[in-house]
Amino acid sequence: TLITPDPTYSPTFQPTLIAENWYYWGAEEGRGNTLAQNQQVPQEIEGEIQDVSAGSRHTFLIEKGGLATAAGFVESAFGYRGHLGLGQIDEKCKNDKNKLCEGENDPLTIETVRDASGKEVDAPPFKRVYAGVGIPADSGEMHSVLIAQNGKVYITGNNNKGQLCLGDDKIEYVDEFHEVSGIPGRARAAAVGDEFTLILTEDGEVWGCGSNEVGQIGQGDNTDYSNKPVRIKELTNIIDLSTGLSFAIFLEEKGRVWGTGSNLYGQLCGFTGGEPRVNVREIVIEDAGVITQVETNRESSYFLFDDGEVRSCGRNDEGQLGNGNSINTSEKDPIVKVNLNKIVRRIGSGPSSQSVFFIGDKKVYA
């Protein structure tokens, strides 16, 4: 888990240039540079960090100058599908700080990438990173995304459903970051789900690739997957997006919210009897202010309003909706209020997480 204590008051897609005060805690195996023990309380990350993303048993950091590093745990060379983007595993090494090995790995620099022609080139300076999505028992078959400062997208990892956007079904996986082509304009943000990828451009368009079995990339019921980027035509002027395991939420510039994909637990804030929504549809939230951020985790969704209130919907068996019970939302109550008598400025979670953090002016609540 990683977080900053000084969030912006509204969503931004460029990391704060003054990079300071990032903290981590949790399982040691996914962070590197540890003493083989879990971090029970927040510990500050040294150095000037521009962006960070924590995935299942791994972590990416981007330093202020755009240098990207990756650290994490590799269960086995056989099951690893390249989500760290550091090349092949050296099967002979163990705990070597300069090589990618089975087991724990300290941070290693992503020095090279593949351009659109497949040529190996020096890695550009990066601005955003999105770690892979999975569960500990299946932590090898993931994929990750980097966005360069020039707006180009680079992607690595598993490609069983075309989630690398490379346009080639023959590619099972790649272990180096490859440039994604076919997206007009510069990328502003991205979101990584389980077997699908979404990319937001600077002009507010959303492009997706990978699995569409339950409508994850909003392409209707006649498309099982796409191995190249396809535009979600219903979406324009999007300023924020977030993915769960198999669904996605989008925030429009004027505050309207849209969703697509799995709705098994009501995570799209509307009753469908558990059936997915294979096309993008608007999510209407009554008697509420202007939405400034959307956030999701495995099967739950969260909405931050301009007055600091947060509402949520979806799965709640572990109390992840924060409303004081463990009952999933329903047709009668499709969305609930988070019981937090504090003004919230930002929300933090992740597509493989079952926990959520609410960031106030000076404190963080979970």
Side-chain angles (χ1 to χ4, degrees), residues 44-62:
E44 187 172 356
I45 301 173
E46 296 181 359
E48 292 186 304
I49 305 302
Q50 178 172 310
D51 196 25
V52 63
S53 184
S56 300
R57 305 177 92 176
H58 67 287
T59 303
F60 287 93
L61 298 175
I62 298 180

Side-chain angles (χ1 to χ4, degrees), residues 151 153 165 180-187 199-201 205-208 229-230:
V153 178
C165 300
V180 174
S181 58
I183 300 173
R186 295 160 55 99
I199 298 166
L200 173 62
T201 64
E205 293 182 350
V206 179
W207 297 71
V230 289

Side-chain angles (χ1 to χ4, degrees), residues 1-2 27-32 52-61 69-74 80 83-85 105 129-134 139-140 142-145 192 352:
T1 305
L2 305 108
E28 44 80 21
E29 64 184 16
R31 297 183 283 113
V52 63
S53 184
S56 300
R57 305 177 92 176
H58 67 287
T59 303
F60 287 93
L61 298 175
T69 62
F73 188 85
V74 175
Y80 175 65
H83 62 275
L84 296 178
N105 289 276
V129 61
Y130 304 88
V133 176
S139 59
M142 297 180 285
H143 69 290
S144 307
V145 173
V192 173
S352 56

Side-chain angles (χ1 to χ4, degrees), residues 43 101 329 360:
Q43 178 177 328
C101 312
T329 50

